[in-house]
Amino acid sequence: MPMLEPHLKKPSNKGLPFAPEIMILVTLRYYANGSFQKLDGDVMNICQQSVSRIITTVSNSIALQMKMFVKFPSTVEDINQVKQKFFEVAQFPGVIRCIDCTHIKIRSPGGMSSEVYRNRKGFFSINVQAVTRPNLEFFDLVARWPGSTHDSFIYNSSSVKQSLNIGDLQGQGMLLGDSGYAVSSVCLTPFLSPNSIGQEMYNNYHIVTNLGFETIKTAD
């Protein structure tokens, strides 16, 4: 990743003596398997302390690139292309994004307020809201709410809902979410108890169209 190299190279000899390619591979391995840093380092004969510094450096460098890649379409033409790609998935018209939250496990932060990070499944986490496009790319990420925060609260507090409600360029279409969100004129959710063939078909098309985000969550 040439765009990361300026951030990964150190200005003095006190930095890490590893090529950017090695640093990226070590970090991606850690992201992928979530194992102990020592095990990741053993694969490339790198000590745990160096692995820790590598992961921190590369993660910060990737974060600096976020606004370049994680963003909404900027033109009407781009939005129409997104709608068309969503439509090609399951013929669901007018969809411009899918939304859901996923829990990223963390250690207990300690202190009096630590329990707000414990989610309904019993572990400590950050509840991360992600808005995606049909080819498994991200439009938007919100990663600041503790694990006990409900998905709908995060959505209601986000700029995503605001843009849909005011109908600006980014609000020219529908949002698909699961039953954790309230159905509205701009956010469509599945029927909890479908009682007709039409409602069952709607649910099926909704699930298939929204499947991309579920694929991302499964890979977490």
Side-chain angles (χ1 to χ4, degrees):
M1 296 183 181
M3 67 187 67
L4 294 180
E5 291 186 10
H7 300 286
L8 300 183
K9 290 180 179 179
K10 297 295 183 177
S12 71
N13 293 329
K14 296 181 180 180
L16 297 173
F18 302 107
E21 293 82 359
I22 297 299
M23 297 170 66
I24 291 171
L25 290 174
V26 169
T27 304
L28 291 179
R29 177 179 173 82
Y30 178 75
Y31 290 165
N33 59 32
S35 65
F36 291 104
Q37 293 177 1
K38 186 178 186 304
L39 298 180
D40 293 319
D42 288 344
V43 175
M44 295 185 178
N45 196 28
I46 302 174
C47 70
Q48 182 274 325
Q49 291 85 351
S50 293
V51 171
S52 178
R53 290 195 294 268
I54 288 171
I55 292 171
T56 299
T57 300
V58 175
S59 297
N60 288 337
S61 298
I62 292 174
L64 290 174
Q65 308 299 317
M66 177 177 170
K67 291 184 178 180
M68 183 182 301
F69 298 101
V70 181
K71 58 184 179 180
F72 290 113
S74 57
T75 67
V76 173
E77 180 181 359
D78 291 339
I79 292 175
N80 289 336
Q81 289 179 355
V82 171
K83 289 181 181 180
Q84 180 61 33
K85 289 181 179 179
F86 269 122
F87 183 79
E88 291 171 357
V89 173
Q91 287 70 58
F92 208 118
V95 178
I96 58 172
R97 64 194 77 168
C98 294
I99 188 171
D100 205 347
C101 288
T102 185
H103 288 271
I104 306 301
K105 185 180 293 186
I106 62 171
R107 294 180 180 178
S108 170
M112 297 294 292
S113 61
S114 62
E115 284 301 307
V116 300
Y117 288 89
R118 190 187 298 277
N119 61 40
R120 65 183 184 280
K121 295 183 179 180
F123 62 88
F124 294 97
S125 69
I126 298 292
N127 195 4
V128 178
Q129 175 181 279
V131 179
T132 63
R133 60 189 301 160
N135 53 354
L136 305 185
E137 294 179 340
F138 291 101
F139 278 147
D140 186 66
L141 289 169
V142 177
R144 64 173 180 268
W145 294 98
S148 63
T149 310
H150 195 276
D151 295 1
S152 61
F153 180 88
I154 299 175
Y155 167 62
N156 289 332
S157 304
S158 70
S159 60
V160 174
K161 181 178 181 180
Q162 180 181 1
S163 69
L164 289 166
N165 286 339
I166 64 177
D168 62 6
L169 181 62
Q170 301 305 330
Q172 295 181 1
M174 305 302 301
L175 176 73
L176 296 189
D178 62 22
S179 57
Y181 299 93
V183 65
S184 70
S185 60
V186 294
C187 180
L188 301 181
T189 65
F191 288 98
L192 294 179
S193 301
N195 55 20
S196 69
I197 295 177
Q199 290 182 3
E200 291 178 355
M201 292 178 63
Y202 166 89
N203 277 6
N204 289 336
Y205 293 149
H206 187 292
I207 291 171
V208 173
T209 305
N210 204 23
L211 186 60
F213 185 81
E214 295 303 320
T215 302
I216 294 173
K217 289 178 68 177
T218 302
D220 284 348

